[in-house]
Amino acid sequence: MLFFFSVPTSMSQSVWSNSKMLSSSNICLVGCSAEHLSSFQPHHVSSDVSDVSGTLHKDNDYMLGESAPHSSGEAGSTLICSHDRELNPARDGTTTRHPSPALRSCDHHDWNLNNGHQAKRARVENIIKGMTSSPAMRCTEVMTNQYEEKGCMQENERIQELPLHQQLEGQYRQLGQLRTKLNHVDDGTETTYSITEDKYLTCNDSPDTSPSRDRIKLMADVLKYELSRAVSRSVDYIFKSIPLLQTSPNHDGSVETDLSLQSPPSLSCFGNPEVQDPDVQTEALSLVMQKPRLETPDKLRAHPHPKPPVPFPVDSTLQEDVPPEKNQNAVRQQSLRYQTKLDTHWSSVKVRSKVNSRSVRSPQTHTVSVDPVLLENLCLPRVKIEPDSLVKNSLYMLNEGLTTNHLKKAKLMFFYTRYPSSLVLKMCFHDVQFTRCITSQLIKWFSNFREFYYIQMEKFARHALVEGVADVRGLTVGRESELFRALNMHYNKANDFQVPDRFLEVAEITLREFYIAISLGKDRDPSWKKAIYKVICKLDSDVPADFKSHHSG
DNA sequence: TCGGCCCCTG
DNA sequence: CAGGGGCCGA
């Protein structure tokens, strides 16, 4: 049963600060179907549905009674607000990003640096700039770097003299070559680069069309790939160049290195707080950073890169002239070096607050002082390296961060659970190494999902009131309703997932809760939504076993 | 103090 | 979607 209690406004104003006052008016919607709410008519009720005692616990006990199958109720569903187009602001995803003027500025690199050290610095600066500039800029720079590495300078210069759209065309032609090269490199391996996915391979290269969304996607994917590689090289560079850069003998004959204090200007963002706010930089890095990507022996053989353009010191044991067996050992050894260094830092990392995120000089000798906050923000999972499995599946090992597939999966999970417990998250995302960073990101995702969900609910509820919907029974959520379409577009954009009926019921309940609350004028209370959250959090369903199986997507 | 959540902002 | 601030309960 659903009970309504009359609660003075003055009480509802303070319910969250004095939660015990309303403990007797606890309204439990567990097992409450939409029909219970359907009898509600705002003009008949002078009550308050606030139950705000306690917090929105995500304990599993709110699942009780929720796993029973529910009738769809679809037959009776009516189309609510379907005539209202302005409720749904354009979110069709067709927005085309206009080519940034930055696309033209490919020529700011000074690739004529006649000295290897300067070239390295220039390269690092370009990468850092690429991390902080616009996506289009980054993409162009990455592409530029790629082709300059391949001796395509002349082609780029020719392109830059063309009108903008022709520049893009030209770059896409080059992109096609890059794509071919990447496909060749990735032959026979299952990688995370969406560039190798079929749908991107179908990208046509018709020269007379403006840049299509597929092409932008393709560019973005190349960007991701290249950024990932570049950052990987950066980490490698840091680790490998520290002794070269900063080794200074101590009085006792030991060697002390400190990147944070003496890093070269081009690497200042990794440790020099005076040049760039470390938080800003780590923020940017956290968006693009993946685990240092180790190239497999196959890749190394298939990609005999010319040495000069490689800006970062390459482990000599990984050069292409090394026999494959040795390369495997080299990969293993390099991975172990990463692991050792990362573990060294992780074990000594004490999470510090933002205001204390400056690099600190390690008091120990024989250690390297890399800002632990940087490492923390890099979302570098602790790598458990199994030597035997390393060579077999190094790519899997390197792909422990959250991917777009994980995001898609999380969105689909939202159809079942709006407030997943960390246990559920761990069960459903068991293919990722759970660090605090990963956990926080997943929680944040669901927080964002809820935010969108409740915003839609409030919007449609308010519109129903404006439209003069007098009876809450007139508020239903069917698969054809605008509200469901908006939600489905957000969480199931590809529309390739059968949304459970239960979600429609929960959505309907939520919509009615908002409608009731607004009609009662409860939205004058700044915390009026919390009562609704309290109700909705009890309506989570169990996530199907499929989500807990071994494939993430 | 910490984690979780909401809210706001970009 | 991510970052950050504020709030609250454990």
Side-chain angles (χ1 to χ4, degrees), chain A residues 412 479 484 488-489 491-499:
Chain A
L412 297 184
R479 293 182 186 272
F484 175 76
N488 194 50
M489 179 62 71
Y491 306 115
N492 180 28
K493 198 162 194 171
N495 201 25
D496 53 0
F497 182 79
Q498 177 70 12
V499 178

Side-chain angles (χ1 to χ4, degrees), chain A residues 299-363:
Chain A
K299 273 191 170 184
L300 290 169
R301 282 197 302 272
H303 186 43
H305 46 271
K307 293 177 187 177
V310 177
F312 299 101
V314 176
D315 192 329
S316 59
T317 59
L318 290 180
Q319 298 295 337
E320 65 277 6
D321 52 353
V322 177
E325 309 78 44
K326 270 197 170 181
N327 254 340
Q328 291 185 358
N329 285 331
V331 169
R332 183 181 297 127
Q333 288 169 8
Q334 184 155 353
S335 300
L336 290 172
R337 279 200 296 276
Y338 280 132
Q339 172 65 13
T340 303
K341 290 172 186 291
L342 287 176
D343 274 350
T344 299
H345 297 301
W346 274 97
S347 61
S348 63
V349 162
K350 189 74 178 178
V351 176
R352 290 173 291 158
S353 66
K354 180 186 174 184
V355 293
N356 193 25
S357 60
R358 304 298 190 202
S359 300
V360 290
R361 188 184 182 90
S362 169

Side-chain angles (χ1 to χ4, degrees), chain A residues 407-417 446 449 491-493 496-497 499-500 547 553:
Chain A
L407 178 58
K408 289 176 186 172
K409 181 176 183 177
K411 285 183 173 180
L412 297 184
M413 284 173 59
F414 188 80
F415 286 127
Y416 298 92
T417 172
F446 276 87
F449 299 162
Y491 306 115
N492 180 28
K493 198 162 194 171
D496 53 0
F497 182 79
V499 178
F547 285 85

Side-chain angles (χ1 to χ4, degrees), chain A residues 103 134-144 218-220 222-223:
Chain A
L103 279 172
S134 69
M137 179 71 172
R138 277 179 273 168
C139 189
T140 315
E141 287 188 339
V142 167
M143 292 171 64
T144 303
L218 187 55
M219 292 177 72
V222 172
L223 164 67

Side-chain angles (χ1 to χ4, degrees), chain A residues 125-135 138 276 280-281 284:
Chain A
E125 286 171 354
N126 285 332
I127 290 170
I128 302 306
K129 285 177 187 172
M131 290 175 179
T132 55
S133 58
S134 69
R138 277 179 273 168
Q276 185 163 350
V280 172
Q281 184 57 41

